[in-house]
Amino acid sequence: MNSKSITFPPLTKEEEENWSQKMGKNYRSLGGLRKTSKKKIQVDIKVNQIGEIRIVETIAGPCELLREEISQKENPIEVLEELLVISGSIIIVIGNQEYELTEGQILIFDSRTPVNKIKVNKESHTISVHMPLNLVKSWIPRLYNNLEKKLLSQPNKSAKLLAAYIELINKFVQTSDRDSI
């Protein structure tokens, strides 16, 4: 990031504390994301969990977030993320690759190569599943050894199946008895 750029925290202190509390102190933080404008981001974030897995549903208005350099201590758990766009349009830059996501698309990536930029072009509704990589490694070791960023688009059957799974798991955590999860 250009050192002359002026950036601002994406969330208020209260919103950031709420995020950290729900995600867990040793889990994925906002990791150095900063907004490029003083304008408040219109955002509604719901965080739920099943064991070590976090399900994050977000509705966000137009904004742009950039990553500043962070230390490893701020993001101690490596995470696999599956991001489903329910509606809207989002640009995500990871390394030198840019992904323009629209309704029905899923971006799969992990925190070992962090997101450099997120730009919400028009109000977007997303659901993301955050899974610690150590779970992936213990459940499916062959998959772990071959992880790479991947964009899935419908009508691809894999994309349809994964989108249905993400929506189902989100619905499940919102309607389940909180003590039984």
Side-chain angles (χ1 to χ4, degrees), residues 22 113 135:
K22 288 181 178 179
T113 308
L135 287 180

Side-chain angles (χ1 to χ4, degrees), residues 78-179:
E78 292 179 330
V79 177
L80 177 72
E81 184 172 343
E82 301 162 334
L83 174 70
L84 167 64
V85 178
I86 303 294
S87 65
S89 172
I90 303 171
I91 294 173
I92 295 182
V93 178
I94 301 173
N96 61 0
Q97 288 186 294
E98 181 176 291
Y99 300 91
E100 188 166 350
L101 306 171
T102 57
E103 183 178 333
Q105 291 186 306
I106 303 166
L107 182 61
I108 302 170
F109 58 99
D110 68 75
S111 61
R112 295 176 296 186
T113 308
V115 172
N116 298 329
K117 177 180 174 181
I118 299 172
K119 183 175 183 184
V120 178
N121 294 318
K122 67 180 200 178
E123 183 175 271
S124 296
H125 180 192
T126 62
I127 301 171
S128 57
V129 175
H130 301 248
M131 181 184 304
L133 282 175
N134 63 4
L135 287 180
V136 176
K137 189 173 187 176
S138 68
W139 292 349
I140 318 167
R142 283 185 306 163
L143 177 67
Y144 176 83
N145 293 328
N146 297 310
L147 279 177
E148 58 184 52
K149 295 178 286 300
K150 186 162 187 111
L151 178 63
L152 298 175
S153 299
Q154 295 186 28
N156 175 301
K157 289 181 182 181
S158 296
K160 283 183 176 182
L161 180 62
L162 185 54
Y165 165 74
I166 291 171
E167 290 184 75
L168 182 64
I169 197 169
N170 185 54
K171 185 176 180 180
F172 172 79
V173 295
Q174 289 184 18
T175 59
S176 293
D177 177 5
R178 307 301 320 149
D179 295 329

Side-chain angles (χ1 to χ4, degrees), residues 10-73:
L11 303 175
T12 66
K13 284 215 182 280
E14 184 179 304
E15 289 169 332
E16 195 166 332
E17 286 172 12
N18 188 35
W19 168 269
S20 294
Q21 180 184 16
K22 288 181 178 179
M23 290 299 276
K25 71 176 186 172
N26 293 322
Y27 211 84
R28 191 166 186 197
S29 70
L30 291 174
L33 288 175
R34 306 278 292 173
K35 61 184 180 175
T36 58
S37 164
K38 274 189 173 181
K39 184 179 174 187
K40 180 170 174 34
I41 298 173
Q42 298 301 313
V43 65
D44 179 25
I45 301 172
K46 295 176 187 158
V47 179
N48 289 292
Q49 73 181 73
I50 299 175
E52 293 297 311
I53 299 170
R54 304 296 189 269
I55 297 86
V56 180
E57 183 174 13
T58 307
I59 298 174
C63 62
E64 183 175 35
L65 302 171
L66 302 174
R67 176 167 309 284
E68 292 184 340
E69 292 300 315
I70 60 169
S71 70
Q72 270 308 95
K73 287 184 178 182

